[in-house]
Every structure is written in structure tokens, then in C-alpha cells.
Amino acid sequence: MPKNPIVFTLDGRRCTCLLPEGKPKRLYVLCGWEMEKLMMLLAEDAPEILFFSTEIDGGRDFTPWEAEPIWPGEPFSGGGEDYLKFLTDTALPYLEERFGAPAEPENCALLGYSLGGLFALWALTKTEKFGAGASLSGSLWYPQFLKYLENCPPKKDTAIYLSLGDREPLGGPPVMRTVGDCTEMAKEILSNHGCKVFFEWNQGGHGKGVTKRWQRAVRRLLTMMAKTVEK
């Protein structure tokens, strides 16, 4: 495994990937912030995975449609369609050609934190390039998202990991305090549509123990994906 992640540019975006020692058996696309250091830690539990992430503007790239901002000066501009197109049409083919990343959906997963978790779950409804996904402390309170999810669920049997901090429903603006109920509802919607869902609560608020939450997600999703392939 490289001592450090490999950094390169695609379509003007700074991209980062961490390769396993041998041919990658799975590809995990990470949607979050400061992923370069995190990749090294995640790889300790998943030595056969190729990890990939890009620089992002969360309020643009991770939002599926425009919505009113929660914080002044931080708009939700709804650029998720463009970012997803970049991933599916540019990044995935490049990773396959240059680094031997797997192309089969059952070996590819999309994982995200906060708005990245919203994006990951939404993206699973828009493309079948990923056979699994994880939404960690996902912003599932996003306006109209649950209604959209009910009408446009991911493919049946998609493996989906959800997690949330037990104090997240207690702080922030009113809409964000609905995140607990929204995540529980998302779990129910996904399960009813035949997805393979695992949901767990963590201790703390939105920004506590983030690294450990990522590590738990990677370990759990590996198990879930293995069971899906076996089936």
C-alpha cells in the first residue's frame, strides 16, 4: 500500500485515492471533508479496498436540488446532478483504467458524512453504478428528501448503512433537530422497498467521534456487501 494517498486532477477537481497492495477488490467513494488523512486509517481495516475522494463544495456538490440555507452565506445550490455525473462518467472509468478499480456495482460503494451522507443516499436512487452505500449523520432532514425517497427508492437488495449521533436531534436549527425522526423514516422506507438496511446510533453530536464512525461504517458495509454477493 502506498505510504501516502495519490493526488491527481480530473476535470479541474483535486482527487485523492489510496490503493491496496494488490488488485483492488472493492471501490469505496468517500463523500466528505479532509478525506486524505482519514483514508489511511480506514485502510487499516480494509486492506483490499481502493478509497477515492475529491475536493468538494458541500452546499453545491452534495445537494440534490436547491433549498433555502440554514446558515447565512451557506446556500444549498443543488449541484448534486453535476457531481454525480462527474463520478459516474469521469472518475469511475478513470479509476478502472488507471488503477484497476472494480466496475461491478456489487463491488462499488458510495459513503458520505453529513451532506455527503444525503448525497450518497440520493445518488443510490439515480444510478446503479454503486451496489451499496452509507449515510453517516446524513442530512436526511433536507427539504422534500423523504418524499422523494418514497417515490424513487434505490434498487432492491442495495446494501445501505445508516448511522446517527444520539445528541444530533437535540441541537441546531429546528429543521436539523428532525434528523432522528427523518433517519428512522428513511430506514423504514428503504426496508419496505427491499433494501438491506443496517442503522445504528452513536454517542454524541454531529461532530463527535467522526473517525470512529467512518471506521464502523466501513467494517459494517464490508460485511453487508459480502452477504449481498453471496446471495
Side-chain angles (χ1 to χ4, degrees):
M1 180 180 296
K3 188 174 182 180
N4 296 299
I6 299 170
V7 179
F8 52 94
T9 300
L10 287 177
D11 284 1
R13 288 183 184 269
R14 175 187 169 92
C15 301
T16 307
C17 73
L18 184 65
L19 306 179
E21 291 184 357
K23 181 177 175 60
K25 292 189 175 181
R26 287 195 170 86
L27 167 66
Y28 278 17
V29 176
L30 309 179
C31 299
W33 295 261
E34 299 180 358
M35 293 287 100
E36 292 183 21
K37 294 181 180 179
L38 181 65
M39 285 181 184
M40 299 295 291
L41 296 173
L42 298 181
E44 293 176 1
D45 293 326
E48 297 177 340
I49 290 177
L50 189 161
F51 291 98
F52 172 79
S53 70
T54 73
E55 64 176 351
I56 47 85
D57 176 335
R60 179 193 66 198
D61 298 326
F62 290 160
T63 51
W65 46 78
E66 291 186 29
E68 292 295 320
I70 292 179
W71 310 107
E74 297 184 14
F76 298 139
S77 56
E81 291 275 5
D82 290 338
Y83 185 59
L84 180 58
K85 182 176 176 59
F86 164 77
L87 290 179
T88 59
D89 294 3
T90 301
L92 295 188
Y94 181 85
L95 294 172
E96 181 183 0
E97 180 180 356
R98 180 175 175 185
F99 301 118
E104 311 84 16
E106 62 268 23
N107 291 320
C108 298
L110 189 62
L111 301 80
Y113 200 98
S114 192
L115 282 173
L118 168 74
F119 172 80
L121 190 51
W122 168 80
L124 292 177
T125 74
K126 302 291 289 186
T127 178
E128 295 185 3
K129 296 284 188 178
F130 302 96
S135 177
L136 292 71
S137 292
S139 303
L140 307 188
W141 46 260
Y142 200 77
Q144 304 301 314
F145 180 69
L146 289 179
K147 182 178 180 181
Y148 168 83
L149 189 64
E150 177 65 62
N151 293 324
C152 303
K155 184 180 178 180
K156 182 180 178 181
D157 290 329
T158 301
I160 299 175
Y161 171 92
L162 305 173
S163 72
L164 199 63
D166 58 10
R167 297 193 62 81
E168 293 192 58
L170 305 179
V175 67
M176 294 181 68
R177 293 199 291 270
T178 68
V179 69
D181 291 339
C182 290
T183 306
E184 292 279 11
M185 291 174 65
K187 175 192 174 184
E188 182 176 356
I189 291 170
L190 294 167
S191 297
N192 288 342
H193 283 289
C195 295
K196 308 301 183 184
V197 186
F198 183 92
F199 175 36
E200 68 177 338
W201 288 89
N202 300 289
Q203 292 185 341
H206 190 68
K208 182 177 181 180
V210 174
T211 297
K212 290 184 178 179
R213 295 184 190 186
W214 274 104
Q215 290 173 319
R216 279 196 290 271
V218 166
R219 288 194 293 265
R220 175 62 63 173
L221 204 57
L222 275 173
T223 300
M224 296 174 72
M225 293 175 74
K227 290 181 178 179
T228 301
V229 171
E230 289 173 3
K231 179 181 178 181

